Every structure is written in C-alpha cells, then in structure tokens.
Amino acid sequence: MRRLSRNIAMASEKRKKDKGRKDVSPVVKFFFTIGVLAVLLFIGVFLYDRIYNNPMNVVDEYIDAFMAKSPSRIFRTMDLKMTNFITPDNLDTLLEERANYHEITSYSLVREHVDNGDERRYKISYMVGRQESPFSQELILKKSDEKKLFILDNWYIDSSDLVGHGISIRVPTGARITVDGRKLGEGSVRTPDAAVADNVAGDENLVKQSGTTQDYEIGDMFVGKHEFEVTLDGFQPFSDTFEIEPQEYYYEPVFTVTPSQMTPDEESRKVAENLAQRMVTLLYQDLAERRSFDYFASEVAVEMSTQTALRKKYDELRKKHIDSETHLMYVEFDSFSSDVSSTLSEDSCYAVRVDTTIRYTAHSTVVIDDEPELKSASGSLKLKTVFHYSDGQWWLYDSDAFDKFIHYEKS
C-alpha cells in the first residue's frame, strides 16, 4: 500500500514537470535543419572553389590540352567564340605556324607576381627534346563578370592577342572571293546606310554593296597572314594576302581589290580586240559616207559621259577630212594587231586598254587645178582605245582614233 502511494506520487510529480516543459514547433525544426544544410553547402562550395575553381586549374587544363596537341580542348579553355574562321582547326594552324607545337615535348611554368586581384599572369617555356623552344607563352587569366553559381569567381584565359575583330574585304561588284580556302557566299546584301554596329561577327554571307564595289564582312579572324582569291566572270583570278593584327577593324576593309587589278581573261581580251577593230572600221566608214555621230553611236555603244566630247571630235574630223574639196574617199584595212591590258578608270568601273597597230590603204580625191584625181597611199597607224564594262556590256570610253587620222594623199 505504501509502495502504491509512492508510485502514484511520483507519477503525479512527472506530470507536473511535463506540463512545465514547452513543445518545439515543427517550423523551428524545419528552419534549424535548413540552416544546418546551408552551412554544410557553403562549406562544400567554399572547398570546391578552393580546390577546383582557381586560376591555376585553368592553366593546368590549358597546358594539358596543349601538350596533348588537342586544338578542340585548347579552344574550350580560352575565351574564344566560334565563328566561320575562329575554329579549332584554324587555331591548330595558328599554333603550328607560331610554335611548331606538334614538336614540343615538355614545358616549365613560372607564375609572375602580377596580381591585382582580377588578373593573374603565368609564363610558360617549352622544350623540343633537350633544346629550349624559341616559342614561349604568357597566359593572362582574368575574372569574368559572370559568376559560377552566382557567387563563385569564373576565370578565363585572355585571348585578345590572338584575334582581330570586324574584318572585311572590298572587291569589285559581282566578284566572288575565297579566303583561306573557304568560299564566301553573297547571302544578304546591305546598303551603305545600314548600321555597321549590327552584330555580324562571323557572318561571311553579309555583303555591303556600294556602286561599283562590295564589301565581304567576314567578322573575326585569327591574327597572322591570310590568303585570298578573287574571281570575276571575264577576268583572270586575282590572289594576294593580308595580315591581321589583334585589334578592332570596325569593318573598314583590310584589303581593297580594284577593277583595274583584274586582268581580262582570254575571251574578254578577244572581245576587246574585236570591239576596237569594229569601232575603227565603222568610224571611217560612217565618216566617208557623211553619216552623223548619232548614227555612229547607234552602231558602237559610246559611254554617256564621253559622248559630248567624242561628238565634237567626230564633227571636226568630218569637216577637215571629208567635207573638204580634197578629201578621203574610203579606206581598205589590211591588218589589225592588238594588245589588251587593264587600266585605271575615274569612275572605278572595269576598264581595259586596247593598243592597236593598223595597216591600211587610204584612197582619196585630190583636186588639182579644179580636176579631181583618185590617189592611194599605204601606211600604218597606232591607236589606244579604252573600253568600260558596266550593265552587262562594254562601252567605248575614249580612243585616239578621234585624234589621229590616217595618212592619205592630199596633193
């Protein structure tokens, strides 16, 4: 009985203590758990950042890729954006030209003490067998404005010394161009008023057209020497090289190919020769038959800009050599020999110069004491004729034929 009373008393005391103790809220338990996890996550992220996300790891990754001769891996470690000419294959070509990096066998790394918090520099020397390579590198690592996981520093290798930006080449309208073996397409065409600020990096299909020229806007390219070839119907291919520096070109042409640099091909040379021969033949035929300059211009396409000057010369020839009492009757042309070459033009169009040597026999009416006599004289004449090409055809621009007249008997 006494034990039962003691047990009842102890149970009653325990109930009193339990009532005095406050229960822990589930919300408090939740946030406590979240806090613990956050601390653990922070510690994990901090350790990850210290171990894996530091500039030296980026350098190690680059060197591993470099020594493995893997341009695709090197490309990924650098701050490079893929374009039509900024590619792993072209990077491989650049490294081979600069460093013969396929022959490199080992390296040594020295960290330079240039550290402003946002930039680190590392110098790398290379060996080819037992000899030191003349090629060395200074890798500049910078902090990106973009953070990893919003809080971690993001380091990248500065590649600004490897790339030129905003590259373009100017060629004659209608020409096509191949750069480093890559054929550029025409694609869309912009007018000169279009904003150059458009983001066209890497779009080699974009062409800015202006009058007699068009700009192929290539975009970004690796530094160094690049080869190109320009082709145009009726002309021989033109090839040359240009050098790219690590700078912004703002789409100002790094090379300009003018129409005068395009040499006519064999077919165009033959066309120009025939045009010069036909022009001279019709000129003397129309003069002898006292036809007007307009009639002559209907047979020979004369460029509008020179029609007035040539008309004046044509009328002077007719007045002096045809309408006079002693005058040229007709001409028999024995032979034409021509040489065709490109020439400069004031309006930047395609222009060819035809140097022609003509052998002929001229028949004239000579009036002596009011008695007309028919006389003949043989000779040769050298003429220079310039043709311009536009709107799908060749136009007579100028010719010595309007200044030099053939020799004929006058007495």
Side-chain angles (χ1 to χ4, degrees):
M1 227 14 223
R2 189 177 298 170
R3 183 181 296 175
L4 179 60
S5 298
R6 189 165 51 249
N7 289 340
I8 293 173
M10 289 176 63
S12 176
E13 186 66 25
K14 185 178 179 181
R15 282 195 298 271
K16 289 180 180 179
K17 288 182 179 181
D18 290 341
K19 287 183 179 179
R21 186 184 301 157
K22 294 183 178 178
D23 293 334
V24 179
S25 169
V27 175
V28 174
K29 291 180 181 179
F30 174 78
F31 281 106
F32 177 78
T33 304
I34 291 297
V36 172
L37 292 176
V39 171
L40 293 176
L41 178 62
F42 177 80
I43 294 173
V45 170
F46 176 79
L47 292 175
Y48 175 86
D49 183 56
R50 298 290 293 179
I51 297 173
Y52 299 104
N53 193 44
N54 62 72
M56 193 61 217
N57 284 332
V58 178
V59 174
D60 288 341
E61 185 180 355
Y62 172 84
I63 293 176
D64 287 345
F66 190 94
M67 297 306 298
K69 315 302 186 293
S70 174
S72 59
R73 287 176 55 194
I74 298 173
F75 196 92
R76 287 195 298 269
T77 65
M78 309 186 75
D79 187 36
L80 293 171
K81 297 179 180 179
M82 183 84 74
T83 71
N84 289 296
F85 286 91
I86 304 296
T87 66
D89 287 343
N90 287 343
L91 177 60
D92 183 66
T93 300
L94 176 64
L95 292 175
E96 189 60 32
E97 290 175 352
R98 283 191 162 191
N100 290 325
Y101 88 125
H102 283 94
E103 298 180 2
I104 289 174
T105 55
S106 60
Y107 70 94
S108 61
L109 174 65
V110 177
R111 176 179 172 183
E112 297 184 356
H113 297 287
V114 180
D115 184 356
N116 60 10
D118 293 331
E119 182 177 299
R120 307 280 177 87
R121 294 173 181 263
Y122 298 84
K123 185 174 181 179
I124 309 172
S125 298
Y126 296 98
M127 300 289 292
V128 178
R130 295 183 179 181
Q131 295 184 343
E132 185 175 354
S133 170
F135 174 75
S136 63
Q137 282 183 298
E138 182 183 60
L139 296 183
I140 302 176
L141 273 71
K142 295 182 176 181
K143 281 185 182 180
S144 173
D145 293 334
E146 298 179 0
K147 299 283 189 178
K148 288 184 177 179
L149 302 177
F150 303 103
I151 58 174
L152 300 181
D153 291 334
N154 188 14
W155 293 89
Y156 68 91
I157 298 175
D158 182 17
S159 59
S160 59
D161 63 330
L162 297 180
V163 179
H165 303 277
I167 313 300
S168 68
I169 298 178
R170 180 166 294 167
V171 299
T173 298
R176 295 166 298 280
I177 186 170
T178 300
V179 178
D180 292 342
R182 183 186 181 94
K183 197 171 187 178
L184 307 190
E186 292 190 358
S188 58
V189 177
R190 296 199 311 168
T191 64
D193 297 330
V196 176
D198 292 345
N199 182 17
V200 294
D203 183 4
E204 94 285 10
N205 291 322
L206 192 58
V207 180
K208 184 173 66 175
Q209 200 171 86
S210 174
T212 58
T213 64
Q214 61 188 27
D215 292 358
Y216 281 90
E217 296 182 338
I218 298 172
D220 296 348
M221 300 187 77
F222 284 121
V223 298
K225 186 175 291 187
H226 299 270
E227 299 177 346
F228 72 93
E229 182 181 77
V230 177
T231 56
L232 179 66
D233 291 341
F235 294 85
Q236 296 177 12
F238 175 87
S239 59
D240 210 326
T241 62
F242 60 91
E243 191 87 14
I244 295 299
E245 299 291 337
Q247 66 183 52
E248 176 65 66
Y249 288 88
Y250 301 103
Y251 291 97
E252 287 298 318
V254 296
F255 201 103
T256 297
V257 181
T258 63
S260 62
Q261 292 174 285
M262 304 297 294
T263 303
D265 61 17
E266 188 60 33
E267 184 177 350
S268 292
R269 292 167 65 89
K270 194 63 179 177
V271 169
E273 289 178 12
N274 292 338
L275 285 175
Q277 178 176 335
R278 183 171 183 272
M279 182 274 298
V280 173
T281 302
L282 289 174
L283 174 65
Y284 281 94
Q285 180 179 311
D286 289 346
L287 283 171
E289 295 181 7
R290 292 176 170 78
R291 290 171 175 165
S292 67
F293 177 81
D294 289 336
Y295 187 90
F296 170 78
S298 69
E299 297 179 303
V300 178
V302 181
E303 190 165 306
M304 188 64 65
S305 62
T306 57
Q307 279 196 17
T308 300
L310 294 183
R311 181 193 302 276
K312 183 178 179 180
K313 291 179 180 181
Y314 181 93
D315 292 342
E316 287 292 326
L317 292 177
R318 176 175 169 176
K319 179 179 179 181
K320 184 176 181 180
H321 300 289
I322 305 300
D323 293 338
S324 57
E325 191 174 31
T326 293
H327 58 273
L328 178 71
M329 290 288 293
Y330 64 97
V331 183
E332 293 178 315
F333 293 103
D334 301 323
S335 65
F336 289 83
S337 177
S338 298
D339 181 59
V340 181
S341 60
S342 297
T343 188
L344 297 174
S345 63
E346 294 180 358
D347 54 359
S348 299
C349 67
Y350 308 115
V352 295
R353 168 177 163 169
V354 184
D355 292 289
T356 306
T357 300
I358 305 168
R359 297 192 62 82
Y360 63 87
T361 300
H363 304 278
S364 59
T365 296
V366 180
V367 178
I368 302 175
D369 297 330
D370 295 330
E371 291 293 327
E373 292 185 22
L374 186 63
K375 293 192 175 184
S376 299
S378 298
S380 64
L381 181 66
K382 292 185 177 181
L383 298 178
K384 178 187 71 176
T385 304
V386 176
F387 293 99
H388 286 184
Y389 185 81
S390 63
D391 300 328
Q393 76 171 63
W394 291 99
W395 300 79
L396 172 64
Y397 178 77
D398 196 11
S399 177
D400 287 348
F402 292 86
D403 302 297
K404 298 178 180 180
F405 206 75
I406 63 173
H407 170 73
Y408 62 93
E409 289 292 339
K410 298 180 182 179
S411 61

